[in-house]
C-alpha cells in the first residue's frame, strides 16, 4: 500500500528495557510469548491514516541495547524524525545510561534536523510496585532536556494509545508546517518571476516589423 508520506522513528535504550515489545505494540503486531533480544537492528512498518485523510508509512527501527551493537545503531541516526528513548522503571541503571544516548544523539545527529523530537519513555508501568525510578525523577529529566515523557506498559499495552495519539498529532503538525513552507517557497518563486521585466524589442526589430509587408 502506497502512502503520502514516510516518517522514520528510532528506539534507543539499554537492553531488556522493552524496545522490541514497544515496537511490536506500536505497529500492531503480535507479541511473542518468548521474545529474544534484538541483534543489531530490526524494523517494522505500519501505515497510519491521519485525521486529514493523508496516509503515513511509519518506519520504526528497533535497535539493540547491548554495548557491542551501539555503533550499528548510530548508523541509523540521520534522517530520523523522532526518537523513543526508553528505560525500565524497575531498573535504575537503565535510567542512568540515558545520558550516554543523549550525548550520542547530540554528537551524531545532523544539526539541520530541526523537526526531530526525542520522547522519553518509562516502560514496565505494570510493575510499578518494583519501580526504582520515580515518575518525578523521570519528569525532571524530561523537562530539563525539553522532552515529552510517557509511562507505558509495552507488554500489557497501558499508555500506548496516548503515546500513539501524540505521535500521530505531531506528524500531522510536521506535515502541515512542511506544506506551508513549500507553499511559501512556491509563492516566492512566482513573485520573483513576475518582477522580472519583460525584455523590450530592439530598435531595429521594431523598424523591421513596421516596414514588413
Amino acid at each position: 500500500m502506497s502512502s503520502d508520506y514516510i516518517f522514520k522513528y528510532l528506539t534507543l535504550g539499554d537492553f531488556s528495557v522493552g524496545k522490541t515489545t514497544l515496537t511490536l505494540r506500536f505497529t500492531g503486531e503480535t507479541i511473542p510469548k518468548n521474545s529474544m533480544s534484538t541483534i543489531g537492528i530490526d524494523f517494522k512498518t505500519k501505515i497510519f491514516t491521519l485525521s486529514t485523510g493523508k496516509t503515513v508509512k511509519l518506519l520504526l527501527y528497533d535497535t539493540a541495547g547491548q554495548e557491542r551493537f551501539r555503533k550499528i545503531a548510530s548508523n541509523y541516526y540521520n534522517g530520523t524524525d523522532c526518537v523513543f528513548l526508553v528505560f525500565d522503571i524497575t531498573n535504575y541503571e537503565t535510567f542512568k545510561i540515558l545520558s550516554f544516548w543523549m550525548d550520542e544523539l547530540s554528537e551524531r545527529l545532523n544539526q539541520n534536523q530541526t523537526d526531530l523530537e526525542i520522547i522519553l519513555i518509562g516502560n514496565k508501568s505494570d510493575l510499578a510496585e518494583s519501580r526504582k525510578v520515580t515518575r518525578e525523577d523521570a519528569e525532571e529529566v524530561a523537562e530539563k532536556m525539553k522532552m515529552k515523557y510517557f509511562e507505558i506498559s509495552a507488554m500489557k499495552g497501558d499508555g500506548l494509545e496516548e503515546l500513539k495519539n501524540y505521535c500521530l498529532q505531531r506528524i500531522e503538525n510536521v506535515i502541515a508546517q512542511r506544506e506551508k513552507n513549500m507553499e511559501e517557497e512556491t509563492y516566492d518563486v512566482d513573485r520573483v518571476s513576475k518582477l522580472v521585466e519583460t525584455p523590450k524589442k530592439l530598435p531595429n526589430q521594431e523598424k523591421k516589423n513596421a516596414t514588413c509587408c
Side-chain angles (χ1 to χ4, degrees), residues 102 121 145 185 207:
M102 291 302 300
I121 298 176
M145 303 305 296
E185 289 175 3
K207 183 177 181 180

Side-chain angles (χ1 to χ4, degrees), residues 11-161:
T11 63
L12 293 176
D14 208 1
F15 68 94
S16 297
V17 297
K19 298 187 300 297
T20 298
T21 305
L22 169 59
T23 300
L24 294 173
R25 279 284 186 192
F26 204 88
T27 55
E29 299 200 20
T30 303
I31 309 298
K33 292 183 179 179
N34 299 312
S35 60
M36 298 180 63
S37 297
T38 301
I39 298 177
I41 196 161
D42 190 15
F43 79 95
K44 303 295 181 182
T45 64
K46 175 74 174 179
I47 301 290
F48 291 99
T49 300
L50 305 178
S51 63
T52 58
K54 293 183 174 67
T55 56
V56 171
K57 176 184 285 188
L58 182 66
L59 309 179
L60 188 51
Y61 285 78
D62 175 23
T63 66
Q66 295 92 330
E67 188 172 353
R68 65 183 184 276
F69 294 126
R70 288 175 187 169
K71 188 173 182 181
I72 296 175
S74 67
N75 295 330
Y76 293 83
Y77 288 174
N78 286 335
T80 297
D81 296 287
C82 184
V83 173
F84 288 159
L85 195 56
V86 189
F87 70 95
D88 175 357
I89 68 169
T90 70
N91 185 338
Y92 195 79
E93 291 301 313
T94 67
F95 183 67
K96 284 173 59 178
I97 204 173
L98 294 178
S99 58
F100 165 81
W101 297 109
M102 291 302 300
D103 291 342
E104 276 278 291
L105 290 168
S106 298
E107 179 182 348
R108 296 178 181 272
L109 279 173
N110 188 330
Q111 297 302 312
N112 293 324
Q113 291 177 241
T114 55
D115 289 340
L116 175 72
E117 180 174 2
I118 301 174
I119 298 176
L120 183 61
I121 298 176
N123 190 28
K124 305 187 183 181
S125 63
D126 55 306
L127 303 177
E129 69 280 0
S130 302
R131 73 185 303 151
K132 297 296 188 293
V133 183
T134 67
R135 189 179 188 106
E136 290 74 20
D137 285 346
E139 289 178 341
E140 182 179 346
V141 168
E143 183 178 358
K144 181 179 178 181
M145 303 305 296
K146 298 180 180 179
M147 296 184 291
K148 187 77 173 176
Y149 177 62
F150 291 88
E151 276 198 3
I152 67 166
S153 169
M155 184 58 68
K156 292 192 173 182
D158 300 340
L160 261 294
E161 198 64 25

